[in-house]
């Protein structure tokens, strides 16, 4: 009897072990990639720099340029909220992906409510109807997911349904980053151009202290712009890595447990963390 009981217990242990082995493995690398994708906060700062360009460049503007600069300032402020909404939708999607890839579940409904009703097409910025449709698609997907309490939903479901729209929104963010960079380049030319033209032409009897202060200010602005050059480059690299990483995730949904796929996702996450550190450090 005792041996029969022992045999049954061993059988039960083996049976339970076999059942446990059929459960999905922890998607550590997927969550790490999603977290790294959501944490590239430098884009928000670039959007704010774009919005506030006039406040910084106004003291350096040549005579007669202020009227046009004010008009450009009004346009930038008008579209700023839409630009931020694009980034917010991508970040929230990545946070949702992270939640589904982890053990814990948390309610993202309040964040989803912040996304608003939609965007406006803007020919100057490059936001088109296709981007607006993608934004609507991601918003509806996340809303539906939250309404279901994340039940019967998986990483595979989210990525399959969301990939096309997320890729389109990442494309929009790349387009907007180019716009931010172009606006920044114009600001840099305005600021540094003033010093490059005026300092050599300054009369010799100009007060020495004033000249020293002007040269110091010029050197400080030059150093600031060099750091910003790197930041815009890092932002573009980060967006490209997020887009490519999500595409690879979509292409390999049926084999996420393979060691080479897990390593690939871990490498994307590592690259994005390095880019984030660069954005924060500079």
């Amino acid at each position: 009897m005792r041996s029969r009981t022992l045999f049954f217990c061993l059988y039960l242990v083996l049976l339970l072990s076999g059942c446990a082995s059929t459960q999905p493995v922890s998607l550590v690398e997927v969550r790490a990639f999603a977290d790294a994708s959501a944490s590239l906060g430098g884009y928000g700062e670039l959007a704010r720099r774009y919005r506030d360009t006039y406040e910084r460049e106004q003291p350096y503007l040549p005579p007669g340029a202020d009227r046009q600069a004010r008009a450009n300032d009004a346009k930038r402020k008008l579209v700023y909220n839409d630009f931020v909404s694009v980034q917010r939708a991508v970040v929230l999607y990545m946070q949702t992906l992270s939640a589904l890839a982890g053990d814990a579940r948390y309610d993202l409904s309040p964040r989803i409510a912040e996304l608003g009703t939609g965007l406006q097409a803007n020919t100057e910025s490059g936001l088109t109807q296709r981007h607006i449709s993608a934004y609507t698609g991601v918003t509806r997907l996340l809303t539906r997911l939250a309404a279901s309490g994340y039940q019967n939903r998986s990483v595979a479901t989210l990525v399959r349904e969301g990939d096309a729209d997320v890729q389109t929104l990442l494309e929009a963010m790349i387009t907007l980053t180019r716009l931010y960079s172009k606006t920044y380049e114009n600001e840099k030319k305005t600021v540094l151009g003033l010093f490059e033209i005026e300092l050599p032409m300054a009369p010799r009897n100009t007060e020495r202290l004033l000249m020293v202060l002007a040269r110091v200010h010029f050197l400080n602005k030059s150093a600031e712009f060099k750091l910003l050059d790197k930041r815009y480059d890092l932002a573009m690299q980060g967006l490209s890595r997020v887009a490519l990483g999500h595409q690879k995730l979509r292409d390999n949904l049926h084999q996420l447990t393979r060691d080479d796929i897990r390593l690939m996702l871990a490498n994307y996450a590592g690259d994005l963390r390095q880019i984030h550190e660069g954005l924060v450090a500079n």
Side-chain angles (χ1 to χ4, degrees), residues 11-26 257:
Y11 173 78
L12 184 61
V13 169
L14 290 174
L15 180 62
L16 292 175
S17 299
C19 291
S21 65
T22 63
Q23 297 300 314
V25 298
S26 177
T257 59

Side-chain angles (χ1 to χ4, degrees), residues 154-282:
S154 66
V155 165
T157 302
L158 178 66
V159 173
R160 269 196 301 266
E161 294 186 14
D163 179 64
D165 287 337
V166 167
Q167 292 291 349
T168 301
L169 290 184
L170 286 168
E171 174 195 298
M173 289 181 68
I174 290 174
T175 299
L176 293 178
T177 303
R178 291 196 184 102
L179 174 64
Y180 300 159
S181 180
K182 180 180 178 181
T183 304
Y184 154 74
E185 288 293 338
N186 290 334
E187 176 188 348
K188 181 169 66 171
K189 289 178 183 178
T190 298
V191 174
L192 298 184
L194 172 67
F195 291 101
E196 291 167 353
I197 294 174
E198 296 295 335
L199 282 178
M201 297 177 60
R204 291 188 176 184
N205 61 353
T206 301
E207 292 185 14
R208 184 168 180 270
L209 177 59
L210 182 61
M211 290 296 296
V212 168
L213 291 175
R215 292 186 183 279
V216 169
H217 187 66
F218 172 70
L219 292 174
N220 288 339
K221 295 300 291 186
S222 297
E224 175 188 340
F225 287 135
K226 285 182 180 179
L227 291 177
L228 286 167
D229 288 342
K230 185 177 181 181
R231 179 164 292 178
Y232 284 96
D233 289 341
L234 286 172
M236 291 296 292
Q237 291 176 34
L239 287 169
S240 297
R241 296 304 283 172
V242 171
L244 186 56
H246 197 274
Q247 177 189 327
K248 295 295 185 181
L249 176 59
R250 172 67 180 83
D251 293 343
N252 294 280
L253 282 175
H254 61 291
Q255 49 190 0
L256 293 178
T257 59
R258 278 178 37 180
D259 289 344
D260 59 329
I261 303 303
R262 296 175 66 184
L263 178 60
M264 176 189 67
L265 291 173
N267 288 337
Y268 278 115
D271 291 346
L272 289 171
R273 283 193 294 269
Q274 287 186 346
I275 291 172
H276 174 65
E277 291 171 2
L279 286 168
V280 172
N282 295 307

